[in-house]
Amino acid sequence: MVARSSSVLIFFFVFLAISSAFPKNKDKYKPCKHLVLFFHDIIYNGKNAANATSAIVAAPQGSNLTILAPNFHFGNIAVFDDPITLDNNLHSKPIGRAQGMYIYDTKNTFTSWLGFSFSLNSTDYQGTINFIGADPIMIKYRDISVVGGTGDFFMHRGVATIDTDSYEGEVYFRLKVDIKFYECW
Amino acid sequence: MVARSSSVLIFFFVFLAISSAFPKNKDKYKPCKHLVLFFHDIIYNGKNAANATSAIVAAPQGSNLTILAPNFHFGNIAVFDDPITLDNNLHSKPIGRAQGMYIYDTKNTFTSWLGFSFSLNSTDYQGTINFIGADPIMIKYRDISVVGGTGDFFMHRGVATIDTDSYEGEVYFRLKVDIKFYECW
Amino acid sequence: MVARSSSVLIFFFVFLAISSAFPKNKDKYKPCKHLVLFFHDIIYNGKNAANATSAIVAAPQGSNLTILAPNFHFGNIAVFDDPITLDNNLHSKPIGRAQGMYIYDTKNTFTSWLGFSFSLNSTDYQGTINFIGADPIMIKYRDISVVGGTGDFFMHRGVATIDTDSYEGEVYFRLKVDIKFYECW
């Protein structure tokens, strides 16, 4: 009985750790196409112009464009052009670019709002995937919407689960994006 | 006959007053899910940091970040994190947050462009709803697109009718959002 | 044989010139509605306030709001309210407005990210069409997503092919937008 209880307990904590923000309906449906990709963001901090892949372009009153704003970066807009890779290595050959913006939009925790596209240009995939959604960064798995696509992803829709695979200071982060398409054409 | 004419006249004016910008096709279809919610926006004006739920983060040349720009605020971008309530009372218990941005994008009238999400976290609803669309503020009822959702709103699409329920100076406004989903999963 | 070879060669170059970025799947499906429209953007440069239809509202560190940023305008956000016409003449009677934003998001070529709406108000069309997507400007034909619509375009989805029909200095550009709806209601 003790053994069983601990298993239940372990299962419970593992379940918590791996649970999505809102998993419910997602598991009822089988995706018609499935893609797992990584993208890498290096934000400009005034000193890394050569390497930076994103830049702060808007900030609330009192902030500037080389340091993310206080209060959980509330009010910052960053524009990005980030390499997309098949694995979690920044130096792997990119298969496309993640391009668009993120907005820090909460004053008491880290939350961003994403509007961006994947432009894929590899042997396997040619086309774009368009995303929007809320990204409550402190939650392990967050779901955003795939609202459309072109080329190989013509008219596709789906849900993408985002996971911060790495976060180094406030300069580099890597997102794992698990894209499940439920409408394929 | 006179009585009847006035009824017609009254009906006509009521019809004008309640008519949407573009009602036509909307009434042909029955929503598969229907939600009416309110959200409350208090814009930062340099003095209300504690209460403000939104901030001007971008402005055209010559403007600043504590006063909305002249010319119908053309060129202002505001980032927001607004409480969502079930009724029109700012002090009701929030059931989630409306997060994203609005852009004032017309020089000769008040029009904004909206990109935002509802993150709902209540007993009844867990999930996000993603919106984009044009918001011609001076029209009573405006329709924007529900382009996707997650959790309880997994893969949903629909149309949301927005109505400025209250507008107090240039600091507080409250939007009533009548969300009709026509694709549910 | 020589004649035939040159024909093949000419065909090949014409094919290159007219090819879309990712044409593949698009040609398998027949649109349920088809619209070709033009919109005209005159960006504010500090001197053309009366004519300008768009303005730079965000810029990376070191740039300002009257000149597009160096490095392929990386980091600029422009807000626009552009007239939509049926032909390529800026002075034709507008049938609506294109409103929203474009973001220059690449450091080594001209690429933008688009989030905008068409608000149409003509005898033939009443309603809005909502677009997002990546716009690799240097490619002749680029596809973005039509993610929703209202009024006559209630719940529509599709793909819009954008083509820079004219580009005059860095002040005026005209986009031809070939909208193919594949989901009509």
Side-chain angles (χ1 to χ4, degrees):
Chain A
M1 279 304 280
V2 171
R4 199 182 154 201
S5 297
S6 357
S7 305
V8 168
L9 213 69
I10 288 164
F11 174 77
F12 181 65
F13 283 110
V14 169
F15 176 74
L16 270 190
I18 64 167
S19 67
S20 298
F22 305 115
K24 199 158 33 176
N25 292 347
K26 206 170 50 173
D27 301 329
K28 286 202 309 198
Y29 300 97
K30 203 179 137 56
C32 46
K33 197 176 288 181
H34 187 193
L35 223 63
V36 179
L37 297 170
F38 294 81
F39 72 93
H40 307 261
D41 191 86
I42 302 169
I43 198 159
Y44 176 67
N45 64 1
K47 297 170 216 154
N48 58 354
N51 293 331
T53 63
S54 68
I56 306 169
V57 303
Q61 195 219 8
S63 288
N64 64 49
L65 302 178
T66 50
I67 301 170
L68 288 161
N71 293 327
F72 301 92
H73 314 333
F74 180 73
N76 277 139
I77 300 181
V79 167
F80 62 93
D81 171 30
D82 293 346
I84 300 169
T85 57
L86 288 166
D87 61 19
N88 65 2
N89 188 337
L90 169 61
H91 303 292
S92 294
K93 185 175 166 13
I95 63 157
R97 310 295 294 185
Q99 299 178 321
M101 62 167 178
Y102 51 88
I103 297 176
Y104 286 100
D105 62 7
T106 313
K107 286 162 94 176
N108 57 2
T109 185
F110 291 106
T111 308
S112 74
W113 193 82
L114 306 172
F116 67 101
S117 303
F118 274 12
S119 287
L120 298 179
N121 192 0
S122 72
T123 329
D124 290 330
Y125 295 107
Q126 301 270 334
T128 69
I129 308 171
N130 296 318
F131 304 85
I132 74 166
D135 179 13
I137 298 168
M138 306 310 283
I139 294 174
K140 178 69 177 155
Y141 298 102
R142 303 85 79 174
D143 285 347
I144 61 172
S145 291
V146 175
V147 297
T150 67
D152 289 343
F153 309 99
F154 172 79
M155 290 291 288
H156 285 36
R157 289 181 70 234
V159 168
T161 302
I162 289 184
D163 165 13
T164 306
D165 196 51
S166 170
Y167 188 78
E168 294 172 16
E170 299 209 321
V171 170
Y172 174 76
F173 66 78
R174 178 172 66 237
L175 297 182
K176 182 178 175 182
V177 187
D178 187 321
I179 309 170
K180 297 198 179 76
F181 296 99
Y182 296 95
E183 283 186 28
C184 301
W185 281 60
Chain B
M1 278 303 281
V2 171
R4 199 180 157 202
S5 295
S6 355
S7 305
V8 169
L9 213 68
I10 287 165
F11 174 78
F12 181 66
F13 282 111
V14 169
F15 177 75
L16 268 190
I18 64 165
S19 67
S20 297
F22 305 115
K24 198 157 34 176
N25 292 346
K26 207 170 48 171
D27 302 329
K28 286 201 309 197
Y29 300 98
K30 204 181 137 53
C32 46
K33 196 176 289 180
H34 187 195
L35 224 62
V36 179
L37 297 169
F38 295 80
F39 72 94
H40 308 261
D41 191 86
I42 302 169
I43 199 158
Y44 177 68
N45 65 359
K47 297 170 217 154
N48 58 352
N51 293 331
T53 63
S54 69
I56 306 169
V57 303
Q61 195 219 7
S63 288
N64 65 48
L65 302 179
T66 49
I67 301 171
L68 288 161
N71 293 327
F72 301 90
H73 314 333
F74 180 72
N76 277 138
I77 300 181
V79 168
F80 62 93
D81 171 29
D82 292 348
I84 299 169
T85 57
L86 289 167
D87 61 19
N88 66 1
N89 188 338
L90 169 61
H91 303 291
S92 296
K93 186 175 167 13
I95 63 158
R97 310 295 295 185
Q99 300 178 321
M101 62 169 179
Y102 51 87
I103 298 175
Y104 286 99
D105 62 5
T106 312
K107 285 162 95 176
N108 56 3
T109 185
F110 292 105
T111 308
S112 75
W113 192 82
L114 305 172
F116 68 101
S117 303
F118 274 11
S119 287
L120 297 179
N121 193 1
S122 72
T123 329
D124 290 332
Y125 295 108
Q126 301 271 334
T128 69
I129 308 171
N130 297 317
F131 304 84
I132 75 166
D135 179 14
I137 298 167
M138 305 312 283
I139 293 174
K140 178 68 177 156
Y141 297 102
R142 304 85 79 174
D143 285 347
I144 61 172
S145 291
V146 175
V147 296
T150 68
D152 289 342
F153 308 99
F154 172 79
M155 291 290 288
H156 286 36
R157 289 181 71 233
V159 168
T161 302
I162 289 183
D163 166 13
T164 306
D165 196 52
S166 170
Y167 188 78
E168 296 172 13
E170 298 208 323
V171 170
Y172 174 76
F173 66 77
R174 178 173 66 238
L175 297 183
K176 182 178 177 182
V177 188
D178 187 321
I179 309 170
K180 296 197 179 75
F181 297 100
Y182 296 95
E183 283 186 29
C184 301
W185 280 61
Chain C
M1 280 302 281
V2 171
R4 199 184 156 198
S5 296
S6 357
S7 305
V8 168
L9 213 67
I10 287 164
F11 174 78
F12 181 66
F13 283 110
V14 170
F15 176 74
L16 269 189
I18 64 164
S19 67
S20 298
F22 305 115
K24 200 158 30 176
N25 293 345
K26 206 171 48 170
D27 301 330
K28 286 201 309 196
Y29 300 96
K30 202 179 140 54
C32 46
K33 197 176 286 181
H34 187 195
L35 223 63
V36 179
L37 298 170
F38 295 80
F39 72 94
H40 308 261
D41 191 87
I42 301 169
I43 199 159
Y44 177 68
N45 65 0
K47 297 169 217 155
N48 57 352
N51 293 330
T53 63
S54 69
I56 306 169
V57 302
Q61 196 220 6
S63 288
N64 65 49
L65 302 179
T66 49
I67 301 171
L68 287 161
N71 292 326
F72 301 92
H73 315 332
F74 180 73
N76 277 139
I77 300 181
V79 168
F80 61 93
D81 171 30
D82 292 348
I84 301 169
T85 57
L86 288 167
D87 61 19
N88 66 1
N89 188 337
L90 170 60
H91 303 291
S92 296
K93 186 174 165 13
I95 62 158
R97 310 294 296 184
Q99 301 178 320
M101 62 168 179
Y102 51 87
I103 298 175
Y104 285 100
D105 62 6
T106 313
K107 286 162 93 177
N108 57 3
T109 185
F110 291 105
T111 309
S112 74
W113 193 82
L114 305 172
F116 67 101
S117 303
F118 274 11
S119 287
L120 297 179
N121 192 1
S122 72
T123 330
D124 290 331
Y125 295 108
Q126 300 271 334
T128 69
I129 308 171
N130 297 317
F131 305 84
I132 74 167
D135 178 15
I137 298 168
M138 305 311 284
I139 295 174
K140 177 70 177 154
Y141 297 102
R142 305 84 81 174
D143 285 347
I144 62 173
S145 291
V146 175
V147 297
T150 67
D152 289 343
F153 309 100
F154 173 79
M155 290 290 289
H156 286 37
R157 289 180 71 232
V159 168
T161 302
I162 288 183
D163 166 13
T164 306
D165 196 52
S166 171
Y167 186 79
E168 294 172 16
E170 299 208 324
V171 169
Y172 173 76
F173 66 77
R174 178 172 66 239
L175 296 183
K176 182 178 176 181
V177 187
D178 187 321
I179 309 170
K180 297 197 180 76
F181 297 99
Y182 297 95
E183 283 185 28
C184 301
W185 280 61

